[in-house]
Amino acid sequence: MDFPMPAPVLAGSLVRLEPLGLQHAADLAVAAEEDRGSFGYTWVPRADEVIGYVAEQLARARSGQLAPYAQVALSSGRAVGATAYWDPRLWPDGNRVCAVEVGFTWLAASAQGTGINTEAKLLLFDHAFTTVGVARVDLKTDARNARSRAAIAGVGAHFEGVLRNWSRSWAPGEDGCLRDSAMFSIIAPEWPTCRARLEARLRARLEPGPGAD
């Protein structure tokens, strides 16, 4: 089954999002072994697990539920993390995607705070809203992950609440456990304002002077 919306290469000034493949595995193995202090609630493989991780993501892609990407830093040409579109939902006519989630996202420690996350979200959201015409983009994270929640809110997503025991926990020592998930969304009427906010943040990063990711 094919993923029901186009997921092409998406390129910006800092990052190029390429459909994930085994050619990214060596770079991702290096990226995953940088300082892992920010990965406490996020699914990030160890270096020796990357081949299996990529294979699992590609299997999900073949099921039609996921379109995985490698995040490639243009400054180095190396993959520094991953992200994905997933869980697409269709309009009642069954012919078009009305909503999709952006998730399975992680970045190497050295790529965090560089503007790559901001630009990657801008590229993913804009493709979903402008090219595909979705009505909604979802984002969610472990409700305990204050850093991730702040980052999601920072890209302009609206906090909708916490769903208890919603999905698998990725926290260390919690295999087989469920987590509470903090749910966020952007809907189509909000996208122009959200896009302007992301573009302003990216300009602040790219132009001389202080900026923030």
Side-chain angles (χ1 to χ4, degrees), residues 47-62:
D48 61 357
E49 299 170 334
V50 166
I51 295 292
Y53 163 82
V54 172
E56 288 178 11
Q57 293 295 75
L58 295 179
R60 291 183 175 93
R62 288 191 294 272

Side-chain angles (χ1 to χ4, degrees), residues 136-209:
R136 171 186 169 103
V137 170
D138 301 336
L139 303 101
K140 69 175 183 286
T141 189
D142 191 305
R144 299 167 294 181
N145 192 341
R147 178 176 179 153
S148 179
R149 290 177 66 162
I152 293 171
V155 300
H158 176 77
F159 175 59
E160 296 184 325
V162 173
L163 297 180
R164 297 177 298 168
N165 285 350
W166 178 250
S167 60
R168 174 181 177 177
S169 174
W170 299 104
E174 293 186 359
D175 289 349
C177 296
L178 297 175
R179 75 178 196 190
D180 295 347
S181 290
M183 308 295 293
F184 295 80
S185 70
I186 302 167
I187 60 174
E190 298 167 346
W191 174 234
T193 299
C194 180
R195 177 171 54 195
R197 180 177 180 176
L198 287 171
E199 289 173 341
R201 290 181 64 186
L202 191 57
R203 282 196 301 272
R205 173 61 60 184
L206 294 172
E207 295 171 358

Side-chain angles (χ1 to χ4, degrees), residues 19-110:
L20 181 68
L22 288 173
Q23 70 272 21
H24 300 113
D27 287 350
L28 292 178
V30 174
E33 289 300 332
E34 293 184 13
D35 181 358
R36 295 178 62 90
S38 64
F39 296 159
Y41 299 106
T42 305
W43 179 34
V44 180
R46 303 301 307 230
D48 61 357
E49 299 170 334
V50 166
I51 295 292
Y53 163 82
V54 172
E56 288 178 11
Q57 293 295 75
L58 295 179
R60 291 183 175 93
R62 288 191 294 272
S63 77
Q65 289 300 300
L66 184 77
Y69 280 102
Q71 302 195 63
V72 177
L74 295 183
S75 61
S76 66
R78 299 180 65 88
V80 294
T83 191
Y85 288 123
W86 78 294
D87 191 24
R89 281 97 69 202
L90 302 180
W91 289 99
D93 63 16
N95 295 321
R96 297 171 296 143
V97 175
C98 72
V100 71
E101 183 166 340
V102 170
F104 288 95
T105 300
W106 62 274
L107 280 172
S110 61

